């Protein structure tokens, strides 16, 4: 059987590049090349812009309710094709089927549905100023771009394109080179639903293609999801044409477990926030601060459940709940952090090694890993690892633990477990993070705005305010009286 080759998706169809350059995509659970993708060369880039201009002209002049109806058709198609799309995500990312089947496609569809519903409700203002008045219109920005990470490829494409398209923009999306197929399938669905050609184009490639998007003077905004370091480059490059930016970047988020907490629930949160999607989630609570009074109980239950309940293996097996990391390179990076943890004096409670499960012997697995005896200055406690590596620390003073939790340049997420309602709110209000949970961890419904404080991001995705990030306000002053002029 020949290995498929996917072209860039431009103006409603696949378009062949001129350079002939391609890259290979591997299944992280098998190390096999599963398909090739053509790189977006100068010819494709130019075609993407020209078609987006035409797409924008058609889409932005439709009424919001017409756009809404079309987007809702796309939502229905996404849900109808849930299993097919979920399988693509499993093969591209190495994450377990049992997650992708109920999370990845559905949370993407939810966000498009949410913004499709909001679009017709967006209104301007009108105000009298003396006998004259002004009114405002919410107008789309034009052509916007999205650059995605590899951990939730389809969901990221939906979260970015949903509000952008609902507001009347055209969108050019570059998925991560590791996971390019989900975005193509989304593009096909948009066309099938009736979105005009050129409104959602997909360009493929690595950093150079991302850089082109950030530099193009024809693009008004870039919404980026990725590492802090790359985000800084994107902002610097976007400044050349004064683009609007949304930055969804990395984190090193704290979870505070007080001594009155439901410990089993707190352990569930810690495991979800470190081992779900084999640890490749930006909001993960990789710094767990446990009150000294409940520390032993917490780590005993954590060790037992980690060793007994996690099943690594072929991600397509519905019983497997722990998949392979995205690449060999990333597996090695995660292992190098584990080595640093050991050499800097942390104690391995469990894990700390690569895995080679019988059903996926060539996959890039790292065992769910818990370090105890950690201190705030250790590399594993300070830097984002983006793998299944949890650091447990202890505390006995509320103010002190808040100070320690905030002592980082990152501020994506945070969580608190306590049964004391006053303490829960008092503490969470002092934590410097954009996405916070009380007695919960990780849920991110379409309705809730998400984004980072400090170097974890700029702007927000989801929630009502995101529609504003994809529109600009036009003010129109209407003279009802004669102009008074000294000339
Ligand atoms: P990267 O920053 O490496 O890459 C993100 C995207 O940017 C990829 O499509 C990449 O292309 C592209 N890119 C790389 N260099 C440039 C450049 N100079 N200009 C423009 N685009 C560029 O992140 P990862 O893909 O490794 O994703 C993991 C990171 O994403 C973690 O830090 C994680 O915390 C963060 N993340 C944040 C989320 C949030 O919502 N806050 C959600 C999910 C992840 P290519 O990969 O093809 O080379």
């Amino acid at each position: 059987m020949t290995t498929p080759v996917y072209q860039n998706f431009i103006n409603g169809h696949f378009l062949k590049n001129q350079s002939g350059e391609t890259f290979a995509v591997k299944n992280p659970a098998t190390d096999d090349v599963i398909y090739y993708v053509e790189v977006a060369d100068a010819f494709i880039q130019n075609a993407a812009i020209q078609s987006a201009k035409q797409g924008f002209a058609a889409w932005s002049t439709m009424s919001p309710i017409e756009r809404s109806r079309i987007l809702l058709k796309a939502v229905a198609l996404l849900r109808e094709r849930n299993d097919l799309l979920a399988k693509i995500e499993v093969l591209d990312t190495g994450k377990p089927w049992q997650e992708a089947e109920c999370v990845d496609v559905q949370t993407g569809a939810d966000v498009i549905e949410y913004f499709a519903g909001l679009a017709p409700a967006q209104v301007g203002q009108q105000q009298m100023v003396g006998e004259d008045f002004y009114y405002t219109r919410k107008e789309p920005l034009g052509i916007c771009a999205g650059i995605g990470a590899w951990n939730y490829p389809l969901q990221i494409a939906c979260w970015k394109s949903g509000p952008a398209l609902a507001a009347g923009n055209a969108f050019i999306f570059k998925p991560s080179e590791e996971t390019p197929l989900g975005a193509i399938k989304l593009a096909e669905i948009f066309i099938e639903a009736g979105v005009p050609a050129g409104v959602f184009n997909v360009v493929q490639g690595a950093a150079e293609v991302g850089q082109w998007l950030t530099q193009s003077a024809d693009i008004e905004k870039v919404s980026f999801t990725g590492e802090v370091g790359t985000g800084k480059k994107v902002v610097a490059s976007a400044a050349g044409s004064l683009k609007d930016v949304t930055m969804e970047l990395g984190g090193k988020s704290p979870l505070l477990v007080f001594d009155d907490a439901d410990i089993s629930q707190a352990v569930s949160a810690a495991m979800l926030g470190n081992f779900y999607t084999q640890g490749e989630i930006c909001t993960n609570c990789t710094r767990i601060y446990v009150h000294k009074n409940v520390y032993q109980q917490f780590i005993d239950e954590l060790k037992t459940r980690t060793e007994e309940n996690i099943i690594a293996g072929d991600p397509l097996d519905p019983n497997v709940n722990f998949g392979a990391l995205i690449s060999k390179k990333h597996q090695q990076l995660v292992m190098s952090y584990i080595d640093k943890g050991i050499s800097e004096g942390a104690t391995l409670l469990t894990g700390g090694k690569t895995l080679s499960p019988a059903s996926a012997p060539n996959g890039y697995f790292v065992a769910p890993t818990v370090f105890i005896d950690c201190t705030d200055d250790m590399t594993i406690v300070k830097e984002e690892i983006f793998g299944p590596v949890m650091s447990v620390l202890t505390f006995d003073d509320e103010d002190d633990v808040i100070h320690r939790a905030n002592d980082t340049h990152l501020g994506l997420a945070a969580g608190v477990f306590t049964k004391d309602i006053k303490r829960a709110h008092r503490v969470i209000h002092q934590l410097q993070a954009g996405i916070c949970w009380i007695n919960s961890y990780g849920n991110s419904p379409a309705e809730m705005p998400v984004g980072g404080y400090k170097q974890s991001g700029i702007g927000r995705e989801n929630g009502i305010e995101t529609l504003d990030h994809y529109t600009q306000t036009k003010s129109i002053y209407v003279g009802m009286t004669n102009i008074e002029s000294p000339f």
Side-chain angles (χ1 to χ4, degrees):
M1 206 176 77
T2 52
T3 313
V5 182
Y6 290 97
Q7 297 171 344
N8 293 272
F9 195 94
I10 309 291
N11 206 35
H13 53 80
F14 289 101
L15 185 63
K16 191 164 176 45
N17 69 6
Q18 288 185 341
S19 67
E21 199 188 339
T22 61
F23 60 91
V25 178
K26 282 186 169 186
N27 176 349
T30 62
D31 193 40
D32 293 332
V33 171
I34 45 177
Y35 57 91
Y36 293 90
V37 179
E38 290 191 0
V39 173
D41 57 6
F43 166 74
I44 294 289
Q45 293 171 8
N46 183 46
I49 295 288
Q50 295 318 317
S51 94
K53 283 182 180 169
Q54 287 165 16
F56 178 69
W59 185 240
S60 60
T61 46
M62 279 186 188
S63 72
I65 207 145
E66 279 177 286
R67 290 201 295 262
S68 176
R69 277 188 209 119
I70 293 171
L71 291 174
L72 290 173
K73 276 190 204 152
V75 170
L77 289 170
L78 278 165
R79 296 217 170 102
E80 214 175 283
R81 290 181 201 162
N82 183 74
D83 288 7
L84 188 132
L85 297 166
K87 189 170 174 195
I88 288 172
E89 296 300 82
V90 172
L91 296 178
D92 272 8
T93 64
K95 68 173 63 186
W97 165 260
Q98 64 165 247
E99 290 183 15
E101 185 264 339
C102 62
V103 173
D104 292 56
V105 189
Q106 302 196 19
T107 53
D110 285 353
V111 166
I112 299 179
E113 185 174 40
Y114 174 75
F115 286 108
L118 280 181
Q122 231 195 356
V123 290
Q125 299 170 323
Q126 180 275 332
Q127 190 175 18
M128 298 306 297
V129 278
E131 289 178 47
D132 297 348
F133 69 96
Y134 78 88
Y135 66 96
T136 62
R137 281 163 55 85
K138 291 281 188 187
E139 297 188 347
L141 301 173
I143 305 173
C144 301
I147 301 175
W150 41 255
N151 59 341
Y152 278 79
L154 179 68
Q155 186 209 61
I156 291 173
C158 292
W159 283 23
K160 294 190 186 307
S161 61
L165 265 55
N169 300 281
F171 207 71
I172 303 177
F173 186 72
K174 187 199 93 62
S176 164
E177 207 188 5
E178 319 263 15
T179 56
L181 191 48
I184 297 175
K185 294 291 160 195
L186 177 64
E188 288 176 334
I189 284 176
F190 278 141
I191 290 295
E192 212 175 314
V195 173
V199 173
F200 185 77
N201 292 326
V202 180
V203 292
Q204 303 282 7
E208 319 79 66
V209 178
Q211 277 162 10
W212 160 69
L213 287 171
T214 63
Q215 284 160 3
S216 168
D218 291 308
I219 293 174
E220 304 297 335
K221 175 187 172 90
V222 176
S223 175
F224 172 83
T225 297
E227 290 173 12
V228 175
T230 321
K232 287 177 186 173
K233 288 185 202 160
V234 168
V235 173
S237 176
S241 49
L242 283 182
K243 283 183 187 28
D244 191 359
V245 291
T246 296
M247 292 284 129
E248 293 290 340
L249 308 177
K252 192 73 195 176
S253 303
L255 176 70
L256 278 46
V257 182
F258 284 89
D259 56 358
D260 63 344
D262 179 325
I263 296 303
S264 287
Q265 285 285 298
V267 170
S268 295
M271 289 180 71
L272 275 171
N274 280 276
F275 303 143
Y276 204 69
T277 316
Q278 55 286 334
E280 296 167 327
I281 296 187
C282 52
T283 49
N284 273 356
C285 46
T286 45
R287 294 184 290 145
I288 311 274
Y289 291 91
V290 184
H291 195 283
K292 281 183 177 158
N293 294 345
V294 289
Y295 173 71
Q296 198 57 47
Q297 185 190 349
F298 182 90
I299 61 166
D300 287 349
E301 182 170 339
L302 177 63
K303 181 172 161 61
T304 307
R305 286 172 60 182
T306 301
E307 289 176 355
E308 290 179 3
N309 298 350
I310 289 187
I311 306 166
D314 175 3
L316 285 170
D317 175 347
N319 295 314
V320 162
N321 59 20
F322 189 82
L325 295 180
I326 189 70
S327 63
K328 184 97 199 149
K329 192 172 151 210
H330 193 53
Q331 182 194 38
Q332 286 164 350
L333 177 73
V334 173
M335 286 308 298
S336 75
Y337 272 111
I338 290 173
D339 292 343
K340 256 184 218 152
I342 295 167
S343 68
E344 290 180 14
T347 307
L348 268 178
L349 180 71
T350 184
K353 54 182 192 288
T354 58
L355 293 176
S356 187
S359 58
N362 299 324
Y364 318 127
F365 292 86
V366 170
T369 298
V370 180
F371 277 109
I372 54 171
D373 301 327
C374 299
T375 54
D376 293 308
D377 58 348
M378 288 177 177
T379 308
I380 53 166
V381 179
K382 289 165 83 167
E383 294 183 13
E384 185 185 47
I385 301 173
F386 221 56
V389 184
M390 182 193 307
S391 296
V392 182
L393 304 103
T394 58
F395 75 94
D396 57 10
D397 178 77
E398 181 180 307
D399 289 338
D400 183 51
V401 75
I402 292 169
H403 171 75
R404 289 166 64 198
N406 286 337
D407 190 16
T408 161
H409 293 302
L410 301 173
L412 189 59
V416 173
F417 269 77
T418 175
K419 288 186 186 137
D420 178 341
I421 190 169
K422 288 185 186 161
R423 173 157 60 199
H425 294 286
R426 181 174 69 230
V427 171
I428 214 87
H429 292 177
Q430 293 177 77
L431 291 176
Q432 297 161 352
I435 313 167
C436 294
W437 289 278
I438 294 174
N439 296 332
S440 184
Y441 209 87
N443 273 345
S444 195
E447 298 88 335
M448 184 172 96
V450 286
Y453 278 18
K454 301 198 260 188
Q455 292 188 22
S456 286
I458 301 174
R460 292 293 176 269
E461 290 192 323
N462 299 347
I464 291 177
E465 69 183 86
T466 295
L467 214 46
D468 286 335
H469 295 311
Y470 281 100
T471 53
Q472 50 197 340
T473 302
K474 178 176 279 176
S475 297
I476 300 154
Y477 186 99
V478 181
M480 302 292 286
T481 51
N482 287 336
I483 294 174
E484 282 178 27
S485 170
F487 309 114

